[in-house]
Amino acid sequence: MKFTAQLTRRRALGLAIASVIVAAGLTTPTVSVGATAAATGTRAIPSGGTTSIRSGPTGVNGLQQPELRPNGRAEEGSAEANRARPGSNDSPFPDSPLPPPKVQSSAVARSNPDVAVSVNGLTHRDQRLANGGNQFSLEPPDQALCVGNGYVVEAVNSVLRVRSARTGAALSGVQDINTFYGYPAAVNRATGVIGPNVIDPVCLYDPDHGRFVVAITTLHVRPDGAFTGRNTIDVAVSNGRSPLGNWTIYHVPAQNDGTEGTPNHGCTVDGTNPGPCFQDYPHIGADANGIYISTNEYDLFGPKYSAAQIFAFSKAQLAAHGSSVNVTLVEDLSVAGTPGFTVWPANSPKGEYSKERNGTEYLLSTIAGDGSETGNPTRTANKLGIWAITNTKSLNTATPALGITSRLTNSQTYVFPPKATQKRGPIPLGQCINDTKLLTPFGDGCWRAFFVNEPAHNEVESSPDSLDSRMQQTWYVNGTLWGSSGTAVKVKGELKAGIAWFAVRPKIDDAGQIEGKVKKQGYIALADNNLTMPAIAFTRDGKGAIAFSVMGEKYYPSAGYVRISENGSVGPIHIASKGLGPDDGFSGYNAFTNGAPRTRWGDYGAAVSDGDTIWMASEYIGQTCTLAQYADFASFGSCGGTRTALANWYTRLTKLSQ
């Protein structure tokens, strides 16, 4: 979920920040079988109408009140009730924290001969100025990417765009997601009315039916931005093979409090009194029969994390874009007695689906995180959760009867990663807050552009967030389930953020239980630098790549990748696009966060295969400028049209050939 903040009006400029709410190879024996269960609750969801990707006017440089959304929600819940005690007989967690693995540094390739296309994708400037500027400033750019039929669809919080899969050239303007889904603008700058909060976009191309699918979680709000409690999983499916035509929308109620046909999952506002649930961090996968959106369910207003949920749709029904579609909820996922957390459904190249048990969709998860969701107080683990949704062909019937089975299997160690360092360079937003001498229309000191009351002038270059060790994107090809996660690593004696990758051979036994072992695994690290937000994808012939961000003493935040083969051979690190300056966004500074900065970065990247090519999307920094350029009050904060006043993130889209 995005990092958001509350703003109050400044007379001279109409902008002052008042408060902030911080949103988010070895073969080993298999252990801990989970029981097979059936999914419950199939509902018919009526069409919410049609839409299309249509770019509107672009906003103007400078600051407009409000810049930041006035309400938000902490991404991590406390979830104390879910905590298992380490060392107990039934606990899958270590007795004490495991040490970070010692890892050799990868080499850095001198050239990128397999890069066929590399272009800037969506940027913070694109996001903020879309829809005539009726948008908030958001961090981070959660990354959605899908490719097929000659088109690339990229989405971030809270815009999307279509490009050519041949050249990477833009085929549409920048479309804000609020109006794409038929909602009011994120903020109406004429009236001050605030629209729904759309978060965490995901995207998938269905090669079997030639359809693009984009999904989000939407938090519905009152005109002042306060949450109503209602939230929906919103799904848009292209009516044809081109994303430039019409799309059909379906709004799936997801508050799971017993209203609008949802089950009652017992969420509360205070640990006791009933309240709505909230579906965070949606992710998407598919097999031959279905499209699956996984979420992490929290109390919207209360303290608790519940468990992972799966919203399952028939591929064929979505492709037909009828007056209604069915959705089947696979509820409250657990493994070995612990709540499922970020249970990521796999994607596959066309035809590379499991036919077991009348169709099976595989998923992966880790069991560490920061401990608040999984109940693992050590924030370390050496086991993976492997999952299967079975009988997926039943999604094409009026009465789907899905099964869910899970178990833990032993793996290499993964550990909650440290924050990332970044190469030193100009940070004009931070320098502006520190400045007391520049002459501005409001008096001496650049800080006056943002604040009525003088802040402390103690801002420094920030350390971008490395998230945690949750599973990132997963891929199923040639009978192997691949995944990757963040981890702490010791490389040349230094603690850094690195990547753990895993290859599992899953299957379903005669009793319908999942089996599987980690067949190959490894780490990726770079001395003096950090690697974050991995995303893995494979072509049908077993050629793969892992995309990530690179940052540290030697690199500004950059877009990187490695090639990986189905035999587990990993190549050197390639820098697809070198960063031009440090991350310089509002979420990393004390003055905007009441002294509790958390420099939001990524939350997730993306990688997909399209025939014999792989497309990747990663966050990086594609601009730099000085304080003098930034503080030009004719176009304050724009640095010649390369950024906005409050953030400078970019995304990079890279196409790899064979």
Side-chain angles (χ1 to χ4, degrees), residues 271-358:
T272 301
N273 292 302
C277 304
F278 156 59
Q279 308 304 321
D280 194 23
Y281 210 66
H283 290 293
I284 195 166
D287 72 346
N289 306 300
I291 290 176
Y292 311 90
I293 298 172
S294 68
T295 63
N296 293 328
E297 184 176 272
Y298 299 83
D299 292 355
L300 178 57
F301 299 116
K304 185 173 68 72
Y305 174 72
S306 299
Q309 318 289 323
I310 303 287
F311 295 78
F313 302 83
S314 162
K315 263 188 178 180
Q317 279 191 17
L318 282 177
H321 53 85
S323 59
S324 68
V325 297
N326 287 338
V327 60
T328 299
L329 182 62
V330 186
E331 303 178 65
D332 296 333
L333 274 65
S334 66
V335 59
T338 69
F341 175 60
T342 309
V343 182
W344 203 303
N347 279 314
S348 297
K350 183 177 181 179
E352 289 295 317
Y353 314 119
S354 171
K355 297 179 181 179
E356 299 171 274
R357 306 292 291 194
N358 207 32

Side-chain angles (χ1 to χ4, degrees), residues 555-567:
Y555 290 97
Y556 297 123
S558 304
Y561 69 95
V562 298
R563 297 304 301 250
I564 184 170
S565 68
E566 63 181 347
N567 66 10

Side-chain angles (χ1 to χ4, degrees), residues 520-552:
K520 300 178 181 70
Q521 56 192 346
Y523 301 103
I524 308 169
L526 183 59
D528 302 318
N529 293 279
N530 303 273
L531 311 179
T532 67
M533 310 302 163
I536 194 168
F538 278 83
T539 63
R540 188 172 183 175
D541 61 2
K543 295 181 179 180
I546 305 176
F548 42 79
S549 294
V550 182
M551 64 191 83

Side-chain angles (χ1 to χ4, degrees), residues 132-212:
N134 291 298
Q135 294 269 94
F136 294 107
S137 287
L138 304 176
E139 292 193 295
D142 300 336
Q143 197 99 60
L145 184 71
C146 51
V147 183
N149 198 37
Y151 299 98
V152 177
V153 177
E154 182 197 12
V156 298
N157 297 323
S158 55
V159 288
L160 70 160
R161 191 173 207 172
V162 181
R163 293 182 176 272
S164 164
R166 185 175 65 85
T167 66
L171 299 179
S172 78
V174 178
Q175 164 77 61
D176 74 291
I177 288 180
N178 275 66
T179 56
F180 176 71
Y181 280 98
Y183 293 125
V187 57
N188 185 319
R189 298 206 174 275
T191 66
V193 172
I194 294 171
N197 189 359
V198 296
I199 67 168
D200 297 348
V202 293
C203 186
L204 178 145
Y205 177 70
D206 170 11
D208 302 305
H209 299 90
R211 297 292 188 267
F212 291 85

Side-chain angles (χ1 to χ4, degrees), residues 352-439:
E352 289 295 317
Y353 314 119
S354 171
K355 297 179 181 179
E356 299 171 274
R357 306 292 291 194
N358 207 32
T360 292
E361 167 69 4
Y362 286 112
L363 312 90
L364 275 178
S365 68
T366 64
I367 60 166
D370 72 353
S372 62
E373 291 90 358
T374 62
N376 182 348
T378 73
R379 309 208 300 181
T380 69
N382 52 12
K383 296 178 175 63
L384 294 180
I386 55 174
W387 311 70
I389 300 172
T390 57
N391 196 30
T392 65
K393 199 170 183 178
S394 71
L395 287 168
N396 297 318
T397 71
T399 55
L402 301 178
I404 179 74
T405 175
S406 66
R407 73 162 64 221
L408 294 180
T409 188
N410 291 340
S411 73
Q412 65 191 3
T413 296
Y414 49 91
V415 174
F416 190 95
K419 290 184 177 181
T421 54
Q422 53 178 339
K423 185 178 176 179
R424 296 298 173 186
I427 49 169
L429 173 56
Q431 291 170 284
C432 179
I433 300 168
N434 289 342
D435 177 73
T436 60
K437 296 181 179 179
L438 275 177
L439 181 61

